[in-house]
Amino acid sequence: MALVVAKKGGKNICLRNEATIFTTTSGDFFTLLQTDKPAYKPGDKVRFRVLVLDHETKPYKYTSISVNIINGKGQVSTTFTETRKSDFSLYENTYTLPNEPGEWKVEVSVDSSKRKTRKTFLVKDFTPPPFQVYVETLPRVSFEGYQHKLAMK
């Protein structure tokens, strides 16, 4: 399990392996990108966060960040950009998916770097299979304190 802990305003922020964390090293810093799930349905919200650290795993003081959400056709669906005004290196945001199934990507660029960190996720219509449990008791008289035998299908 991957785990990164950082401080934001005296509060610890934990990035757990709820989904895969992707890392790209670029010069003075490395970028960690995480989504909350590996697969989504159309209309779901994609929650993502980006943590930028220096090589001593301290917050990297970047000046700008750009995040592209790329649809299954390879087209940029939306772009988030931010100029950093504080020293903390965590960027979080959400994006509501349209009804376009396919293999989508989140792509991050820090300080106009040519190196990009990418995370792929699947968008598709899916419904969980129906789940039923049938319990048949065996023909047996039971009394308190005795074991019950059941056949489950």
Side-chain angles (χ1 to χ4, degrees):
M1 173 194 276
L3 175 66
V4 175
V5 178
K7 289 231 181 236
K8 181 178 184 180
K11 184 170 100 174
N12 285 338
I13 303 291
C14 293
L15 300 180
R16 288 188 178 31
N17 196 16
E18 298 155 350
T20 307
I21 296 174
F22 286 82
T23 308
T24 299
T25 303
S26 178
D28 298 334
F29 60 89
F30 61 97
T31 308
L32 294 99
L33 169 60
Q34 181 185 32
T35 57
D36 61 329
K37 299 188 291 187
Y40 299 87
K41 294 185 284 188
D44 280 355
K45 271 190 181 180
V46 177
R47 290 173 177 80
F48 62 90
R49 53 186 159 188
V50 179
L51 184 62
V52 185
L53 301 172
D54 67 15
H55 290 288
E56 295 177 358
T57 64
K58 294 178 183 173
Y60 178 76
K61 297 176 184 176
Y62 62 86
T63 56
S64 66
I65 189 167
S66 177
V67 179
N68 292 326
I69 308 293
I70 301 168
N71 67 20
K73 298 173 188 169
Q75 302 164 335
V76 175
S77 184
T78 195
T79 299
F80 301 98
T81 56
E82 181 178 272
T83 302
R84 186 54 67 173
K85 296 177 181 133
S86 70
D87 291 343
F88 193 66
S89 61
L90 180 69
Y91 176 79
E92 299 176 285
N93 214 329
T94 61
Y95 175 71
T96 303
L97 292 164
N99 190 10
E100 295 179 33
E103 191 173 275
W104 286 58
K105 292 179 187 135
V106 179
E107 180 181 81
V108 178
S109 175
V110 177
D111 287 343
S112 303
S113 172
K114 292 182 181 179
R115 290 192 180 190
K116 299 182 188 304
T117 304
R118 292 180 186 91
K119 163 86 170 79
T120 303
F121 59 91
L122 188 62
V123 177
K124 71 178 210 172
D125 286 313
F126 62 91
T127 53
F131 183 79
Q132 296 178 346
V133 176
Y134 296 98
V135 178
E136 294 178 14
T137 58
L138 299 175
R140 176 178 173 200
V141 177
S142 64
F143 299 97
E144 191 173 324
Y146 287 92
Q147 289 184 350
H148 300 275
K149 291 189 178 183
L150 302 173
M152 300 186 88
K153 297 179 185 176

